[in-house]
Structures are given as C-alpha cells and as structure tokens.
Amino acid sequence: MASGTPLSRRLWAASSATATHCLFHPFVVGVGSGQLPMAAFQQFLKQDAFYLHGFLKAFAYAVVKAEAPADAMVLVDLMHGVNSELQLHASFMESWGIPAHAIDATSAAQATRAYVDFLLATAKTATSVAEILAAMVPCARLYAFLGAALASARSELTGELMGDAHQYAKWIETYAAPAFEAGASDMEALLDSVAEREGIDEARLQPLYARAMQLEYNFFDASFPVQRADFMGTTALAYDADTATSILTTQPLAPLPTVSKLSLLAAVLAIAAGDHSDPIAHGVRDGSEDDRAACLALLTRSPGATATEAAPGVPRVLCIAGSDSGGGAGIQADMKTCTALGVFSTSAITAITVQNTVGVHGIHGVPIATLREQIGCVLDDIGTDVIKTGMLGSAAVVQCVVDAVKDRNLPLVVDPVMVSTSGHKLLELDAHHCIVQQLFPLALIITPNIPEASFLLNGRTIATVDDMKVAAADLHALGGSRYVLVKGGHLEDASSVVDVLYDGLSWHCFQSQRVATINTHGTGCTLASAIAAHYAKVPDMKAAVQNAIRYVHAILVGSQDLSVGCGAQGPMLHWL
C-alpha cells in the first residue's frame, strides 16, 4: 500500500475479503434482490435498533475521552447523525410491519450482544479516541459500501426485475445516499487525524477494525443464516459445483458482444430475483478474486450448510479454576470477566470452596477423573483460543491439567493461586514443585503477585519495582514461560500500582492509580482472565496485559463504594 494512503483506507483494504463476503451474504443479496423474507428483515431491524443504542454509548465514551475540543465537537455531530438514523428507523418500522413498542420489548440476540459488548468494552478501556473509532468506523464504512454497491448493481438490471416496488428500496437508498457517505468519511477523517496526532501505531488499531468487521458478518448471519440461502430459488443453489467453480475461477474473458456487461453482483441479484438464464451471460466471470470467492461460496452452498462454515468464530477462553461460592473470585470472576469483554468462556472446576466475604470456610476437591473429563469434552467439542488456570490446589490436579493440555498447543495463562486474599492457603506444598517444573514450562504467561513471587523464589524480599524486575527475570529462568507478569498491588505505595511484564529480553512497567477500596476480592483472577480474554481476541501480549490492567482498574473504580457482605473484603462488580 502506498505510504500516502490514509490509515482508515489501509484498515478498510486489509478487511476487503470480509467486506466482500458481507456483500455476497444471503441476507444482503436478499435485500438487494427484494427476495429476503420480511420476517428476517424485521428481526434485523429490531436488532439493529438495539445495536445503534450501544453505538451511541460508544460515541459518548469517545466524547468524554477526546483530548481536543474540536474532536469532541465532531463526535457530537456524528452522534446526531446516528440519532437521525434511529429516527429514520422508527419512521420505517410501521411500513415494514413493526409496531413502535416492539423495539422496547426486543432482547439482544447473541450476535448483537457480542458486538455491543465489544464496542463498549473497547470504549471503556481505550486510552485513545483512535482505538474507539477503529472499532466503530467499520460499521459506517461497510454500510456505505453495501448501499452504494447494491444501488449500482440494481441500476444495471431491467425494471422488470428491479422495479420501484422493490420492498427494501428505501433501506438501500438510505445507505447509498451522499449524506451517509459523508458521515462515514467524517468518522474516517477523525480516526486518521487522532491516530496521527497521538502517534497510535496501525498494528494497535488493525485488530480492532478486523474484529468489528467479523462481528458485522456475524450480525447478518444471525438475521438470516447462510444455510437458509435456498430462499433465492433452486437455480442459485442447483448449479453443479464443478460448473460453478469453472465459471468463477476461469480467468476473465472478454464480454460476449451480444450481451450488455453486468457486474458480478448484478448477476447474483438477477439470479436471486428469478432470472434463471446462464450466469455466464450476466458477466459472472467478471470481478476481483475476492468477489469471485464470495460469489462461489454463495452459489455452491447447500441448504444444509452450517453458519459456522463461513462465519468467523467468537473468541473463546477455557477457565480451569475453583468455584467461589461468594461469587467474587475463582471461576465466577473468570467467567464474568470474559463475558464483560465479549469473549465466550467455558469452565473446568477443580474444587468447590465454601466461602463468603468473611473468608474461606472449606475446600472440597473435584475427583481427578471428573476434572479430566471436563477439560477433554470442552476442548474436543467447543475448543478454545486460550486456557486460563487459577486455583489448582494439589499436585494431582496440576498433573491432570498438564496431561490434558500439553499436546494441545494452546496459549496458557497461569495464575499461580497459592493463598487467598484473606490469607487462606489454597495450594498444597507438594503442588509447588509440580507447578514450577511441569506447568510453568507450558505457559505463555504466569501472573504471580508479590507474595506468590516471593514464595516461588524461596521467600525473597520484593519491596521495590527494581526488585520486581529482578524477580520477573528469575521466574522466567525458573519456569520457562514466555512471559512473566509480577503484579505490584502489594507494594507499599499509597498513590499508584506498578505491574512488571518481562518477555525474556526487556521489562515493561504499567503504572495505574491506586484505588482506595476494600472491594478487591478476586482482582488476581480477574486480571489473569482479562489477559486471556484480550489475548483470545488479539494475540498481542503487551496489549493484552495493558488492556487487562485497565479493565481491572475501571471495575475497581466502579466498585469502590459497593457494599456486599459483612466481611473486611468485598467483591467487585463486573460490567455486563
């Protein structure tokens, strides 16, 4: 890509394949051809209204975090544009058979919730408006692209196929309008200017942009799954796969002299609308490589195909830890964290604890065979992108986990839970050597706090940030994990907290303001799970640690006045 190309254009170009698959998704083709079942379109509109409210909230976070007043004013103007879009939706609802009260009664579908959670988690934890915009711009740019493409393709078709009576013409006109393109361009211009002014690296923004594009595809698929593509009639799906492959993969040929040249999209819309003539005569050979791949996937898809064949998967984390009946730490904190960060979590319970805000009153281990079966059945079916371990308790449990994951080649986040914050011992002595010698070498990162780091290093005193750096390097050499994060919450510094990440070559220090609160139960579990969740979304450890620290700090601030239980240490309230 030429160096003079704006950042927003480079990000869009990097997601061109996803954009093209969205364009040729059965939902979009159905809208463009007018053949999408009205029930699917009504469901889409209700979910889109829910999403746009979340989109507005993300804008609000961006306004608050904008450093330049001029940026804040642009964001406010953009918010007005989204509000106008919502009002337009409302005006269209009745004509498409949706009463006004139906919007208020709508619950978010899984794809909608995942997208909104991603936007809000990004907006809440971002340190730059550029990060928020990188997650938001794809929506505006994609819809401008879809509107323009559908309008252009429809204009090439005969009035008999695409007349004024097209039931979704108003929707297409909305997103093909110059005003919508101008709004998308304004968002991109702001993203470009903020990123350049603040020196935000493109590599930091690209994963956010790409994730949003994937979630857009999932949104269409939730409204009209690809396995229902037979709505377009038998012709689009009855083409012999070999024939379709030959048509779409042959090098483009000169247009037939007796046939007007139509775009690939126009040809697909014609097929969907009921024109059963040979797609070659419609110029199906034309189009880019991405166009042809997306079109081939559509034309050769069988009605029994599953949505997961084409839709990008949701990030997943398997949490292996003990259960905290008080809900503040353990597996409960792990899964709340993953949910708040838009990641699907599964679990394997190592022990059941009897605890509340006062303390731990009992620990009951889960049979080793049961633990092994939990891990195996989850990984063999659902799979995972990252495994996070917490309380393991005994050498037998550690060995079980090692045996279950050692051949899986999966990123492993190890929180070496040894003592609860209330002082209760959570790790048997014989498990210490097993963790260091067998589990740590498998780990991508280990996340000890200062007491745990001291214990692992034979009682060494760790009293300063420099001590933490030395400890991190020594733990790296001791256990062989790729990264070591020594958490600094136990240092006696009344104003700030410093966490030290070591990658085998250099140290990265993350400083945050200390929050004055007694509600700190589960901070270690939450931080490790947040690292796992962020790494599952974007495999960048430094960014994952930084974002996880921001998440923990934010919920500490939000929970500092929370009153739950009668003990000396309360839990935190996670975002949901």
Side-chain angles (χ1 to χ4, degrees):
M1 191 70 65
S3 59
T5 304
L7 169 67
S8 59
R9 294 284 89 189
R10 298 197 301 270
L11 294 172
W12 171 251
S15 293
S16 62
T18 306
T20 303
H21 277 83
C22 287
L23 180 61
F24 286 98
H25 189 280
F27 176 90
V28 177
V29 171
V31 169
S33 64
Q35 301 303 304
L36 182 74
M38 180 55 70
F41 190 67
Q42 291 171 332
Q43 173 66 12
F44 168 82
L45 286 177
K46 289 187 285 186
Q47 292 299 315
D48 194 41
F50 188 100
Y51 164 81
L52 286 173
H53 282 99
F55 199 75
L56 278 173
K57 291 178 182 178
F59 260 133
Y61 278 104
V63 171
V64 171
K65 295 186 176 186
E67 293 186 359
D71 292 346
M73 293 305 297
V74 172
L75 289 164
V76 170
D77 287 341
L78 290 168
M79 288 180 71
H80 286 312
V82 176
N83 190 53
S84 298
E85 186 180 352
L86 275 169
Q87 293 174 350
L88 186 64
H89 269 57
S91 69
F92 286 166
M93 293 298 183
E94 187 174 349
S95 65
W96 281 317
I98 304 174
H101 64 80
I103 299 299
D104 295 333
T106 298
S107 298
Q110 181 180 347
T112 310
R113 172 57 65 190
Y115 201 170
V116 171
D117 285 350
F118 163 73
L119 284 179
L120 296 184
T122 300
K124 290 173 181 177
T125 59
T127 57
S128 169
V129 169
E131 292 174 295
I132 303 175
L133 289 172
M136 297 180 70
V137 163
C139 175
R141 175 45 57 204
L142 178 65
Y143 274 73
F145 164 71
L146 296 178
L150 291 175
S152 177
R154 289 183 69 245
S155 71
E156 296 186 46
L157 299 174
T158 65
E160 183 179 347
L161 281 173
M162 300 288 166
D164 294 336
H166 187 297
Q167 61 182 339
Y168 304 127
K170 288 190 295 184
W171 188 92
I172 296 172
E173 291 166 3
T174 297
Y175 295 108
F180 191 86
E181 168 60 35
S185 297
D186 287 345
M187 287 185 70
E188 289 174 325
L190 184 59
L191 169 59
D192 293 337
S193 64
V194 173
E196 182 177 7
R197 185 191 322 133
E198 298 181 4
I200 306 297
D201 189 75
E202 182 175 342
R204 181 171 157 190
L205 303 178
Q206 195 278 328
L208 296 170
Y209 199 105
R211 178 65 181 151
M213 289 293 290
Q214 291 174 353
L215 291 167
E216 286 287 350
Y217 180 96
N218 291 356
F219 198 94
F220 290 135
D221 206 56
S223 299
F224 195 77
V226 292
Q227 66 263 38
R228 294 177 60 192
D230 57 344
F231 80 91
M232 292 182 295
T234 59
T235 301
L237 293 167
Y239 282 114
D240 178 86
D242 292 335
T243 302
T245 301
S246 175
I247 292 169
L248 292 165
T249 58
T250 303
Q251 291 298 317
L253 302 176
L256 298 176
T258 58
V259 180
S260 62
K261 182 177 179 180
L262 298 177
S263 70
L264 181 63
L265 177 61
V268 172
L269 294 186
I271 294 169
D275 184 352
H276 294 176
S277 60
D278 190 341
I280 296 179
H282 286 301
V284 174
R285 293 180 192 151
D286 300 328
S288 70
E289 185 176 344
D290 282 345
D291 293 338
R292 296 148 80 79
C295 186
L296 177 62
L298 177 66
L299 291 179
T300 60
R301 181 174 302 284
S302 66
T306 61
T308 54
E309 289 177 347
V314 64
R316 304 153 298 171
V317 172
L318 167 59
C319 306
I320 304 175
S323 170
D324 174 1
S325 57
I331 208 77
Q332 286 81 355
D334 294 341
M335 300 188 80
K336 289 175 185 178
T337 300
C338 289
T339 299
L341 294 175
V343 172
F344 183 78
S345 59
T346 53
S347 64
I349 310 296
T350 60
I352 298 173
T353 68
V354 181
Q355 65 176 301
N356 52 25
T357 61
V358 177
V360 179
H361 306 284
I363 300 176
H364 305 278
V366 168
I368 297 300
T370 302
L371 174 60
R372 183 184 306 111
E373 290 168 1
Q374 290 179 83
I375 298 171
C377 77
V378 167
L379 293 180
D380 291 342
D381 174 33
I382 300 169
T384 193
D385 298 296
V386 179
I387 299 173
K388 180 266 176 184
T389 66
M391 174 188 169
L392 300 180
S394 69
V397 170
V398 176
Q399 189 63 58
C400 175
V401 172
V402 168
D403 291 342
V405 306
K406 64 183 179 182
D407 296 324
R408 299 275 186 170
N409 194 30
L410 289 165
L412 180 63
V413 176
V414 175
D415 181 17
V417 178
M418 297 177 177
V419 179
S420 70
T421 314
S422 59
H424 196 284
K425 182 180 176 183
L426 299 175
L427 184 70
E428 296 175 4
L429 187 60
D430 64 346
H432 172 210
H433 297 296
C434 192
I435 284 181
V436 172
Q437 295 173 8
Q438 297 195 54
L439 189 63
F440 282 2
L442 300 177
L444 176 65
I445 186 172
I446 63 173
T447 64
N449 58 29
I450 286 178
E452 290 163 346
S454 176
F455 179 81
L456 289 166
L457 295 171
N458 300 316
R460 178 189 302 180
T461 298
I462 303 173
T464 67
V465 173
D466 286 339
D467 290 344
M468 293 172 65
K469 290 181 176 180
V470 174
D474 289 345
L475 287 170
H476 186 274
L478 176 69
S481 61
R482 183 173 174 184
Y483 298 93
V484 175
L485 177 69
V486 177
K487 300 173 291 189
H490 289 80
L491 281 186
E492 294 182 2
D493 185 330
S495 61
S496 64
V497 174
V498 177
D499 302 300
V500 175
L501 176 68
Y502 182 66
D503 61 9
L505 295 173
S506 58
W507 294 267
H508 305 277
C509 296
F510 304 92
Q511 185 170 355
S512 53
Q513 185 177 0
R514 188 178 292 275
V515 179
T517 179
I518 64 169
N519 296 321
T520 58
H521 181 52
T523 48
C525 303
T526 297
L527 181 63
S529 297
I531 292 171
H534 280 293
Y535 195 86
K537 292 191 285 188
V538 180
D540 180 329
M541 183 53 71
K542 183 179 177 182
V545 169
Q546 184 175 48
N547 288 327
I549 290 171
R550 292 172 184 165
Y551 175 74
V552 174
H553 183 266
I555 62 172
L556 280 170
V557 171
S559 306
Q560 58 186 337
D561 298 321
L562 184 68
S563 178
V564 174
C566 303
Q569 185 187 47
M572 299 176 293
L573 182 63
H574 293 251
W575 292 318
L576 295 175

